[in-house]
Amino acid sequence: MASAPRRTKFVLDEDRTPRTWYNVVADLLPKGIAPVPPIHPGTGQPIGPEDLAPLFPMALIMQEVSADREIEIPDPVRDAYMLYRPSPLQRAYRLERALDTPAHIYFKYEGVSPAGSHKPNTALAQAFYNKEAGVKRLATETGAGQWGSALAFAGAVFGLEVKVYMVRASYDQKPYRRILMETYGASVVASPSPDTNYGRKLLAETPDTPGSLGIAITEAVEDAAGRDDTKYSLGSVLNHVMLHQTVIGQESIEQMQMAGEEPDVIIACAGGGSNFAGLVFPWVGRMLRGEGSHRVIAAEPEAAPSLTRGVYTYDFGDTGHLTPIVKMHTLGSEFIPEPIHAGGLRYHGMAPLVSLLKENGLIDARSVHQRACFEAGVRFARTEGILPAPESTHAIKVAIDEALEAKERGESRVILFNLSGHGHFDLSSYEKYLRGGLEDYEYPAERVAESLASLPKVGG
Ligand SMILES: *Cc1c(COP(=O)(O)O)cnc(C)c1O
């Protein structure tokens, strides 16, 4: 008898692109788990929709506070999604064989988007709602350049000007990401820049600063708050960003059904938390509704381990303290992580919704060192052929550890992870790894303690 043909790719037709985003808040509330409202940095009071209006269009603010389970994806956004969605789910047979593991390893591949990561899933939605509201120009920050490229692409799709404040260190080290943004039509400056008050102040004090994500956010927020034609756009952390990313997890549920398997463990890397939320929230929703049971793991860098080592408290999202104060796992807004190559994971905080799930025991987190991650990334490239983004190697490392543990215990185990992006613009970090020049950074306990000493005082 012939055995069933082996399937590597689980591909959905483009008309299976989700029609709604999934809001996990709707399934948390019946369990008595409620999101904590943000606090105004000036008044110390909970903020209302009007407080956010200078920065975001009202449609996004309403999504930020929504408790509806499903939110319809506007047709123009869904049409743009179809440039690259649904993304493939693949079984990593060759990696399984190399590990000699009984585990089945599946990955959802978001590197097929034009910008090379999951980030266009929210960039397209944000550009659309801004355009609808009559906004002409968006200001944003970017670290490694993934988010800047995604928003530059979305600006080109919906006809908006885009101004990107790019962290100085990346601006100097990663010219190709900058050129991609400029090709899409965005203007890019190194941050801190002479274009904002905050940037000019920092440049006067420390002319050779490498910058940081927290600083670039302050500059972009100042830009947007100071101009009527401009709003601000953030690529992670906020509730509406988590929401837009849930197309990933919804597709993966359908694709795992095609594969005829249920994941025992679901893994994604976490910087601000958006690709993690995107993959896992729809699965967590099934758990909350009693339709399934999975272990869920966020993989984060040892150099910026907000979920595993941070405190769950109120903190600022940026270094200049212009943003609302939110309750999240944080290392302190003044903490500047070591220059690990996974630039997208170098953030002091974690999305409030991801933090809330962690605090309630619905998800786990693990921190990993960058050299072990690159080793896992190279192993993945040599077996599956895809060169992963340095951020995504954190998920691969944890997936491999899970597969090896299953082998040790002689257990079957179904593993699903998110491959959040490709690493084609990160080759210089691979070169460093291959030449033995990458270092690991210990968890900087002292600097975190210093940074946490300046947390905002909220409530009494
Ligand atoms: C930005 C980025 C991340 C980290 O951001 P999250 O909001 O935590 O998803 C991870 N992977 C890739 C490829 C990225 O570009």
Side-chain angles (χ1 to χ4, degrees), residues 81-411:
Y81 278 172
M82 285 183 212
L83 290 167
Y84 61 97
R85 303 214 72 84
S87 68
L89 177 87
Q90 285 184 219
R91 171 104 179 253
Y93 284 108
R94 289 159 201 275
L95 176 63
E96 289 172 16
R97 211 179 303 138
L99 299 171
D100 189 26
T101 174
H104 295 182
I105 306 175
Y106 293 85
F107 64 93
K108 179 77 170 152
Y109 186 38
E110 290 294 306
V112 296
S113 85
S117 76
H118 63 289
K119 292 202 170 77
N121 297 334
T122 185
L124 288 165
Q126 294 190 43
F128 168 79
Y129 287 116
N130 275 286
K131 182 74 180 182
E132 284 270 289
V135 175
K136 300 278 180 275
R137 183 175 168 276
L138 292 174
T140 197
E141 70 290 328
T142 198
Q146 288 267 23
W147 169 242
S149 328
L151 196 68
F153 158 63
V157 168
F158 288 108
L160 287 162
E161 266 183 68
V162 175
K163 167 81 175 264
V164 182
Y165 294 85
M166 184 173 191
V167 175
R168 172 99 242 170
S170 299
Y171 186 92
D172 293 338
Q173 287 161 14
K174 303 199 169 183
Y176 295 120
R177 275 280 168 200
R178 169 176 58 74
I179 296 164
L180 180 62
M181 290 183 256
E182 290 171 348
T183 305
Y184 285 136
S187 50
V188 185
V189 285
S191 164
S193 78
D195 299 4
T196 64
N197 290 327
Y198 190 65
R200 285 188 290 274
K201 172 173 165 273
L202 289 185
L203 285 175
E205 289 165 8
T206 48
D208 53 1
T209 173
S212 73
L213 213 44
I215 292 168
I217 294 176
T218 306
E219 287 205 272
V221 169
E222 184 189 320
D223 179 323
R227 283 179 61 155
D228 282 343
D229 65 345
T230 302
K231 298 267 186 229
Y232 170 65
S233 187
L234 185 64
S236 190
V237 182
L238 299 174
N239 299 351
H240 67 262
V241 180
M242 306 295 122
L243 178 76
H244 299 153
Q245 293 294 351
T246 58
V247 289
I248 304 172
Q250 294 182 67
E251 289 173 5
S252 77
I253 289 175
E254 210 172 316
Q255 289 164 312
M256 287 302 298
Q257 277 163 3
M258 287 171 78
E261 301 215 77
E262 277 275 301
D264 296 302
V265 53
I266 306 171
I267 302 160
C269 68
S274 74
N275 88 89
F276 173 79
L279 176 69
V280 315
F281 281 8
W283 292 98
V284 169
R286 289 171 93 230
M287 296 203 290
L288 290 165
R289 298 190 303 271
E291 297 164 11
S293 160
H294 323 274
R295 281 190 296 128
V296 179
I297 307 173
E300 58 178 14
E302 184 73 16
S306 52
L307 271 180
T308 46
R309 316 283 263 284
V311 277
Y312 183 57
T313 185
Y314 285 99
D315 198 5
F316 292 100
D318 68 325
T319 309
H321 297 177
L322 297 184
T323 60
I325 300 166
V326 295
K327 194 158 187 192
M328 62 179 175
H329 286 86
T330 180
L331 301 165
S333 65
E334 261 134 67
F335 175 66
I336 298 180
E338 296 291 351
I340 52 165
H341 286 271
L345 305 183
R346 286 185 64 221
Y347 185 62
H348 66 272
M350 183 54 64
L353 279 178
V354 172
S355 297
L356 188 68
L357 295 192
K358 172 73 166 47
E359 200 56 20
N360 283 279
L362 291 162
I363 61 166
D364 279 332
R366 239 178 253 176
S367 65
V368 275
H369 276 299
Q370 74 169 348
R371 266 197 306 212
C373 290
F374 272 92
E375 184 187 354
V378 167
R379 188 164 210 177
F380 190 77
R382 290 179 185 175
T383 49
E384 297 296 322
I386 299 172
L387 183 86
E391 291 83 2
S392 316
T393 64
H394 291 67
I396 298 174
K397 164 69 177 144
V398 172
I400 288 178
D401 287 349
E402 285 283 327
L404 291 175
E405 189 190 78
K407 172 180 168 179
E408 214 168 274
R409 297 187 184 169
E411 279 175 26

